[in-house]
Amino acid sequence: MPASPTATGPAGSVSPEVLAAVFSAAAAGDGPALLVAETVEGTPRVTWANEGAVRLLGTAAGDLRGLPVGELVPALAAGELAVLLRREHASRLALRVRTGGGLVDAVVRAAPAPSGSAWTLAVVPADAGTDRVSRATADAAERRFATLTERSPIPTLLSEQGMRLAHVNDAFCRLAGRPAADMLGTGWTGAVHPDDLGAVIEVVAAVLEGEDGEVRARLVRADGAERVTVMRFGYVFTPGAGSGFLGTVEDVTDRLAFEARLAHQASHDPLTGLPNRTLLDQHLATRFAATGSSTGGRLACLFLDLDDFKVVNDSLGHEAGDELLVEVAGRLRATVRPGDLVARFGGDEFVVVCEDVDEADAAALAERIVAALAVPVHLAGVRFRPHASVGVTVQAPEHADAADLVRDCDIAMYQAKAGGKGRVRVLDRCGRAEARDKLQLVADLRDAIERREVTLHYQPIVSAADGSLEAVEALARWHHPVRGPISPEVFVALSEESGLVGPLGLLVLDEACRQVVAWDRDLGDLAPPRINVNVSALQLDGGLRAEVLAALHRHGLAPARLSIEITESALMTDPAAARGVLQELRDLGVAVAIDDFGTGYSSLAYLRHLPVDCLKVDRSFVAELAEGHPQIATAVIALARSLGLSTVAEGVATPGQAAALTALGATYLQGFSLAVPMDGATTATWAGAR
């Protein structure tokens, strides 16, 4: 049955008669102290007060109108009024309220109007006798709290009333760089960075409603230094004082800085500081758009390869080569447009990615780069004029993804190099014809796998403690009947692109197991104790366990003699699936190692749950030892030790590096200074002679 039109107005709103009755009752002299506050020019002010408020506050109604709420409750600083005047729901705080006769203890309840810019305030004075007893209880509780927390290393603070602190311990004072006297009451909010104070107040306001809260906020020390913290608050009710909180503060500044350094190291080239291939792939993937879309311009890629870089390395030394790479990186940064990405692709190769350009613009940029690089530079006392061959490709309909764009750009660069030094070449039809040559190489690789023409070399892994042989890593090699040796980086990548990685992986696994059995027969106890086999991310499927088990049974090899290596980036492609596959291998008794650790984006928390035995310290981090930067290698080795894992330091090129890594606690060492990769027979001779 619809409501009477005399009770409500249109759409169910309260009628003027009802509003008048409620207003009259609120204004009555015997009622509670009520005030209405509204936001006037950005400041909450009293706009109405009933007779109960006039009597309690001892101030005429006319004098109350326009009074800032902050003056009525001086215990709350301006920024803390948000704790009382919530826009979402009502709040209740025990506060000292200013009256004509001074400050009195009271409970203030604030209820927001639907508009969010007005509040009804009810002020109820506290009972004096009860308050004294409650205050004594609160004081005793505070003393107990101080005794418990004063010597705690955890920065701790206790609020007895809203944002007002009753106690802070020495650990918090040291963190904030301020004395306790400056932070009691509301002074502690001055140590919170102004940009973070609003978030802290929001969390505290929720905590005062009975919740738990957490917020990341910066503390500004008295000397101006900033510390990043995580503040955790829990609700506390103090008799005689009201709602407050217990807070603990964790300083995460150093941890975040370390994680940032690790993340930067994983995504940037340590020599030039440029983004590496991992970051380049991410950059391209996020910006690649289908050609012909109505929004956004096309991408262009410039692929640069330095001419005669090998001559510099061979004649002037690798230090001069590194100096040249750093100089080239700086010139590239200075030449490209703001917003263009410059990345080191590998070796002496660089990639520039541009957005919203056409072919002419991209070619013009390439010419400017060639000219900038051609300015002479002095290396090891020799005047050298760098040149670069540059391939240019602009996004076209035939590019299905960003990888296609980079591949075509690479092809254009090889065309430029074939035409002479210091040239720019935009990909043409001939370039695409050359791409078909790659397809022929894929066909040749398929035949080589079927004929078992892909062979293995083995690089020893030795104990850092005594140099004893602990394992060998199986490395695939392919000698093309026409083209000669094909780099593993080339044919392994081709196998992954063409779906041949499965057959190639089976061949490597089978041949590795066969070779270990042959060594056992010929060398006995001198045979390598274990062999490490690399597995591609594409092999991490449900069939890997069965393939490993079949190879072990086929050759009668114990599972403990085999270790599977998987790169960190491959693990992070699908962490959950990878973990399941690795656990199956571990259940067989096969060891598991993470290769190139530190170059990917794995979560340290996730790493703790991975079923692995060993971390391989990437060779780039080992190389940094010679440059006086041992931090990443140190961190990886320490991390492995804390997780109960062994470590293999890859790419050990000098005895000095071997000694430094041993001192850092590396378990095993691998590199050319110890032993180069060898075929099976040479490896047997090497192992037998030890």
Side-chain angles (χ1 to χ4, degrees):
M1 185 171 174
S4 168
T6 61
T8 60
S13 61
V14 179
S15 70
E17 292 82 358
V18 172
L19 287 175
V22 173
F23 190 83
S24 176
D30 294 334
L34 298 176
L35 305 98
V36 173
E38 299 181 61
T39 301
V40 179
E41 296 181 351
T43 301
R45 297 178 180 273
V46 176
T47 57
W48 178 85
N50 70 349
E51 291 183 15
V54 170
R55 183 175 61 255
L56 174 64
L57 302 178
T59 305
D63 294 336
L64 285 174
R65 283 193 291 272
L67 178 71
V69 176
E71 294 185 15
L72 183 64
V73 284
L76 294 181
E80 300 174 82
L81 280 175
V83 178
L84 176 66
L85 303 179
R86 306 296 302 280
R87 297 182 183 274
E88 299 84 4
H89 50 74
S91 62
R92 176 185 182 276
L93 290 179
L95 298 168
R96 306 206 77 189
V97 178
R98 188 185 301 281
T99 70
L103 297 175
V104 299
D105 293 321
V107 174
V108 181
R109 298 184 181 90
S115 65
S117 61
W119 296 265
T120 299
L121 304 178
V123 183
V124 180
D127 178 75
T130 302
D131 183 61
R132 282 194 297 271
V133 174
S134 298
R135 184 67 258 173
T137 303
D139 290 342
E142 180 182 335
R143 288 193 297 271
R144 288 194 298 271
F145 174 84
T147 301
L148 289 171
T149 64
E150 195 54 51
R151 296 186 180 277
S152 171
I154 301 174
T156 309
L157 34 84
L158 173 66
S159 155
E160 65 175 3
Q161 191 181 86
M163 296 283 287
R164 297 182 60 79
L165 293 190
H167 180 79
V168 293
N169 69 351
D170 286 347
F172 184 78
C173 294
R174 288 192 297 270
L175 175 60
R178 302 165 188 259
D182 290 351
M183 291 188 291
L184 295 178
T186 59
W188 71 281
T189 59
V192 180
H193 194 288
D195 293 343
D196 298 339
L197 183 57
V200 172
I201 290 176
E202 280 296 314
V203 170
V204 170
V207 169
L208 295 178
E209 297 295 331
E211 304 175 12
D212 288 336
E214 178 178 308
V215 63
R216 178 181 291 184
R218 290 163 289 176
L219 292 183
V220 182
R221 294 170 53 86
D223 59 7
E226 293 182 7
R227 305 297 294 180
V228 183
T229 69
V230 175
M231 296 183 171
R232 300 179 177 89
F233 301 99
Y235 176 77
V236 172
F237 180 79
T238 305
S243 297
F245 61 79
L246 173 65
T248 59
V249 183
E250 179 185 3
D251 184 358
V252 297
T253 309
D254 295 338
R255 188 193 79 197
L256 294 178
F258 172 76
E259 291 176 351
R261 288 194 300 271
L262 199 60
H264 185 274
Q265 185 65 43
S267 60
H268 288 75
D269 172 50
L271 176 64
T272 64
L274 293 176
N276 60 15
R277 290 182 65 171
T278 300
L279 193 56
L280 171 66
D281 291 343
Q282 293 177 346
H283 180 88
L284 282 168
T286 57
R287 286 160 177 78
F288 190 87
T291 302
S293 63
S294 58
T295 60
R298 294 183 295 173
L299 286 175
C301 268
L302 283 63
F303 200 109
L304 294 82
D305 182 272
L306 296 182
D307 301 319
D308 297 327
F309 181 73
K310 187 176 185 300
V311 175
V312 173
N313 270 342
D314 292 345
S315 60
L316 302 180
H318 288 279
E319 290 186 3
D322 288 347
E323 184 180 345
L324 176 59
L325 293 173
V326 172
E327 177 67 21
V328 168
R331 294 184 184 186
L332 287 174
R333 289 193 192 99
T335 306
V336 301
R337 309 173 309 166
D340 292 344
L341 178 78
V342 180
R344 186 181 179 193
F345 197 76
D348 60 339
E349 297 175 334
F350 299 84
V351 171
V352 177
V353 180
C354 313
E355 296 183 73
D356 301 329
V357 295
D358 57 22
E359 193 171 275
D361 293 334
L365 175 59
E367 294 289 356
R368 292 198 301 273
I369 288 174
V370 169
L373 294 184
V375 176
V377 60
H378 286 82
L379 302 172
V382 177
R383 187 173 182 269
F384 179 77
R385 186 184 296 272
H387 293 283
S389 301
V390 185
V392 179
T393 303
V394 177
Q395 186 179 349
E398 55 266 28
H399 294 131
D401 52 31
D404 282 351
L405 187 64
V406 175
R407 278 194 293 267
D408 278 356
C409 193
D410 193 11
I411 291 170
M413 182 275 294
Y414 280 107
Q415 287 182 335
K417 189 171 286 291
K421 299 175 183 178
R423 293 179 180 269
V424 174
R425 177 66 64 89
V426 178
L427 185 68
D428 56 18
R429 292 181 180 275
C430 292
R432 302 196 185 284
E434 291 177 3
R436 287 196 290 271
D437 183 62
K438 182 185 288 187
L439 295 178
Q440 181 60 52
L441 191 60
V442 170
D444 294 343
L445 177 59
R446 180 179 290 106
D447 292 339
I449 292 172
E450 291 176 356
R451 297 167 185 164
R452 299 183 73 90
E453 293 172 353
V454 175
T455 60
L456 297 186
H457 278 196
Y458 308 89
Q459 186 170 32
I461 299 172
V462 303
S463 168
D466 57 15
S468 61
L469 178 61
E470 296 293 333
V472 294
E473 180 179 358
L475 303 170
R477 296 291 185 263
W478 180 29
H479 191 282
H480 193 279
V482 177
R483 307 184 189 212
I486 306 295
S487 167
E489 292 184 357
V490 173
F491 71 79
V492 171
L494 281 179
S495 73
E496 292 180 335
E497 295 171 8
S498 59
L500 292 175
V501 69
L504 177 61
L506 285 175
L507 170 60
V508 171
L509 178 63
D510 184 78
E511 178 59 19
C513 293
R514 184 204 65 78
Q515 182 63 75
V516 173
V517 173
W519 284 332
D520 286 347
R521 183 179 61 250
D522 298 338
L523 298 174
D525 293 340
L526 296 178
R530 189 178 65 254
I531 190 164
N532 292 16
V533 175
N534 292 280
V535 169
S536 164
L538 300 178
Q539 294 175 263
L540 291 180
D541 55 30
L544 182 59
R545 177 188 180 278
E547 292 168 358
V548 170
L549 188 60
L552 293 172
H553 285 173
R554 187 160 52 248
H555 296 285
L557 188 66
R561 304 291 299 282
L562 178 65
S563 178
I564 295 296
E565 291 189 13
I566 180 72
T567 63
E568 180 187 19
S569 56
L571 284 175
M572 292 302 103
T573 301
D574 187 350
R579 185 182 188 281
V581 174
L582 298 186
Q583 187 61 58
E584 289 179 345
L585 296 175
R586 284 285 299 277
D587 291 342
L588 285 178
V590 173
V592 177
I594 299 181
D595 198 10
D596 300 337
F597 183 77
T599 61
Y601 288 91
S602 64
S603 162
L604 299 184
Y606 187 82
L607 174 66
R608 182 166 58 89
H609 301 288
L610 281 176
V612 298
D613 305 279
C614 177
L615 298 184
K616 299 196 74 174
V617 183
D618 186 68
R619 64 185 64 247
S620 63
F621 304 145
V622 172
E624 287 186 344
L625 294 174
E627 302 167 11
H629 300 293
Q631 294 87 350
I632 302 300
T634 302
V636 173
I637 292 171
L639 174 65
R641 186 186 302 114
S642 69
L643 295 175
L645 306 178
S646 62
T647 50
V648 175
E650 299 180 297
V652 180
T654 67
Q657 289 179 346
L661 290 161
T662 301
L664 290 177
T667 316
Y668 308 116
L669 305 176
Q670 178 182 3
F672 280 14
S673 71
L674 304 166
V676 299
M678 301 168 281
D679 61 24
T682 306
T683 302
T685 302
W686 184 89
R690 292 178 66 79

